[in-house]
Amino acid sequence: MNVRVLRIELRRSAAPWAGAVVLTTALAFLYLIPGSWWRGTTAWTAQWTSMALWTRSLLFYLWPLAVGLGALQGLRDHRSKMSELLASTPRPARHRAATLAGATAITLTSAFALLVLVGAVQVVANTEYTHLGWLPISLVGALSLVAGAVLGMGAGRALPSVLTPPALAMGAFVFTALMQMSLGRTETTTATGLPSTEPNRVSLLSPAVQEARDALVTLSASVHVGQTIWLLAMAATGFALLVAATPRARLLALTPVLAGAVIALLVLPSDPRRIYVVDEAAAELVCDGPVCVTKTQQARLADLAGPGKEALRLLHGALGSQAPVSVRENTAVLPEGSTPKWSRKTVLFDFDDDIIAAAAKGEELTRALIANGMGPGCSPVGWSSFGGDEFAQTVAVGWVLGDLRPLPGTPASLRREVNAKTRPVWKELKALPRAEQLSRINAMRTAALSCKGDAFDALKGGASR
């Protein structure tokens, strides 16, 4: 491709505007609309993989936008009434198509790269864990914008109507929405009987991905390969439509995208557990004695080690041989709606847990870890609630430390209710003989750690099962 011709194309076409629209709307979405991409360990500026997944998730509307803008570019010759004149020139049609597609590809790729760069600069300041596993996620995202725009150009050239760009953009948006909401998800039922949905291989034909739910989760290699095949086939069809001059050629131009869809579906994983997988390197533990965190959170180990060791000491003093012996960040990634799994000998915690996230350094963090060691919550994964589990934790921590206070993260509006529910139980528990106290505490821990029965009821002397 002639560089001078390409520069002229960039100056006189709408390609730079397409890149500007993609970049500005993406940044506006991320910075102006509050959402889960602002919070916790999966914030879009917290970790590399989270940043890549959040920017890819924006393709649910950026990709349709690229398709529509590409179709608008494809109508240029028709709008200027130059189609017949250009067809009579000796320059091959593929050269003109390559210049048009190349200009748009450069601007869209640059826009997406700048979006990733904005996030990357902040990720560097927020984490000590660096890796390149996030790069394929972003590269496929950039490819999807280019493929969508080229497909739109080809469709605009093949169907020269002012209605083509909006129709294509709306059709692409409906496609990405359906892939995320219904057609691209399979209904399942968890072990607790709660309904849930999981992404299937069809959903991976959409360039958008689901939101980052866990900092340790990434896309598998087979997903990257399958999506790359599909997007390259899409771009091939778009380019073929750009150069096609006859109805038969336009019909043959659909061959790559159809073949690409079939091959991609054969490559893409059918098992949902092989779509989003745990990044083993990120989940590797970094320890200070009995206190461990994952590599993604290794910068927080220094603040956690002291309170963690103190929590273990206090738990041993209260529970004796039944006490946990280590503190570890939870690396288990369970399906949404499933029952959490806890350990009797290890205090498992998550930095996004309400109690841990709200705890400051030192004493508050120690109190939060004791709460997790005494009776972790049993709300289904991905669900949030406030009730008996939190009441049991409050009483249990008060029993270990000798004073009853609301746990970190307890909403101010509920503190009076928590005190009214827990103080009578705490006073009754403290008034019992030591053996009876331990009996009730052990019954509470059994119910809480197994997620069977009512932990708060066990503290009151009721049945734990």
Side-chain angles (χ1 to χ4, degrees):
M1 188 188 304
N2 189 296
V3 176
R4 185 175 64 85
V5 174
L6 182 59
R7 286 203 303 266
I8 295 172
E9 182 69 26
L10 285 170
R11 286 200 303 268
R12 73 185 183 94
S13 74
W17 289 104
V21 168
V22 166
L23 179 61
T24 55
T25 56
L27 291 175
F29 188 98
L30 289 170
Y31 281 107
L32 301 181
I33 301 177
S36 52
W37 49 89
W38 283 10
R39 301 187 296 269
T41 60
T42 57
W44 83 286
T45 56
Q47 298 290 339
W48 291 102
T49 301
S50 299
M51 181 270 294
L53 289 174
W54 278 119
T55 49
R56 273 286 297 275
S57 71
L58 296 182
L59 293 177
F60 84 91
Y61 80 90
L62 290 180
W63 185 72
L65 195 60
V67 173
L69 290 170
L72 193 63
Q73 281 280 79
L75 287 178
R76 188 180 64 185
D77 292 348
H78 176 74
R79 291 197 309 269
S80 59
K81 300 179 181 179
M82 294 177 58
S83 301
E84 293 184 5
L85 176 62
L86 292 173
S88 65
T89 61
R91 189 184 180 195
R94 63 179 181 276
H95 289 183
R96 296 193 304 272
T99 303
L100 180 63
T104 302
I106 288 172
T107 57
L108 288 177
T109 302
S110 300
F112 195 76
L114 285 173
L115 174 65
V116 171
L117 181 61
V118 170
V121 170
Q122 298 172 82
V123 171
V124 169
N126 291 332
T127 183
E128 294 181 359
Y129 177 61
T130 58
H131 63 102
L132 295 177
W134 61 274
L135 198 54
I137 302 174
S138 294
L139 289 176
V140 173
L143 176 61
S144 69
L145 288 176
V146 173
V150 174
L151 181 66
M153 290 178 200
R157 180 70 61 86
L159 302 170
S161 167
V162 293
L163 298 178
T164 299
L168 282 178
M170 183 56 65
F173 181 76
V174 170
F175 172 73
T176 57
L178 289 176
M179 288 300 100
Q180 288 190 309
M181 292 189 303
S182 56
L183 292 181
R185 302 189 70 84
T186 302
E187 291 188 5
T188 59
T189 302
T190 64
T192 57
L194 297 172
S196 181
T197 62
E198 295 177 327
N200 56 41
R201 75 170 81 185
V202 176
S203 69
L204 299 175
L205 295 179
S206 168
V209 298
Q210 67 182 19
E211 64 182 30
R213 188 171 62 87
D214 194 295
L216 302 178
V217 170
T218 187
L219 289 169
S220 65
S222 57
V223 172
H224 301 319
V225 173
Q227 289 184 328
T228 299
I229 292 171
W230 161 240
L231 293 170
L232 289 175
M234 184 188 299
T237 286
F239 190 81
L241 287 172
L242 269 177
V243 300
T246 64
R248 183 173 179 273
R250 295 188 183 104
L251 190 61
L252 289 174
L254 300 178
T255 303
V257 74
L258 296 176
V262 173
I263 297 172
L265 288 174
L266 293 175
V267 173
L268 293 169
S270 58
D271 186 350
R273 292 170 296 182
R274 292 176 53 232
I275 296 176
Y276 292 92
V277 297
V278 175
D279 185 341
E280 298 295 341
E284 186 178 336
L285 294 178
V286 180
C287 300
D288 182 343
V291 181
C292 301
V293 298
T294 61
K295 271 194 172 181
T296 60
Q297 303 298 331
Q298 58 190 2
R300 305 173 75 167
L301 180 58
D303 293 332
L304 184 74
K309 293 173 184 177
E310 178 65 9
L312 291 176
R313 185 187 69 79
L314 292 168
L315 286 168
H316 184 268
L319 299 173
S321 62
Q322 299 296 315
V325 295
S326 62
V327 174
R328 177 168 62 81
E329 184 181 353
N330 195 355
T331 58
V333 179
L334 302 175
E336 189 166 351
S338 60
T339 302
K341 295 180 180 180
W342 305 115
S343 169
R344 186 173 290 273
K345 288 299 181 181
T346 302
V347 179
L348 296 174
F349 71 93
D350 191 320
F351 283 109
D352 286 333
D353 181 82
D354 290 340
I355 298 175
I356 300 295
K361 301 176 183 179
E363 183 184 348
E364 285 291 286
L365 189 51
T366 297
R367 182 177 285 269
L369 291 171
I370 290 174
N372 273 28
M374 291 296 289
C378 286
S379 295
V381 175
W383 295 47
S384 61
S385 63
F386 193 95
D389 288 344
E390 288 70 27
F391 297 154
Q393 286 179 318
T394 302
V395 173
V397 174
W399 177 79
V400 172
L401 299 178
D403 66 325
L404 187 71
R405 285 190 290 163
L407 295 174
T410 302
S413 59
L414 295 176
R415 295 199 170 205
R416 181 175 296 179
E417 178 188 352
V418 170
N419 187 66
K421 293 274 190 181
T422 59
R423 189 162 293 276
V425 178
W426 178 71
K427 288 183 176 179
E428 179 187 349
L429 182 65
K430 296 291 286 186
L432 294 171
R434 178 68 179 177
E436 180 61 23
Q437 291 180 34
L438 283 172
S439 176
R440 291 195 183 187
I441 287 293
N442 287 331
M444 180 275 296
R445 293 192 73 218
T446 298
L449 292 169
S450 65
C451 288
K452 295 178 181 178
D454 190 319
F456 191 48
D457 190 47
L459 280 177
K460 292 186 287 188
S464 64
R465 293 181 181 274

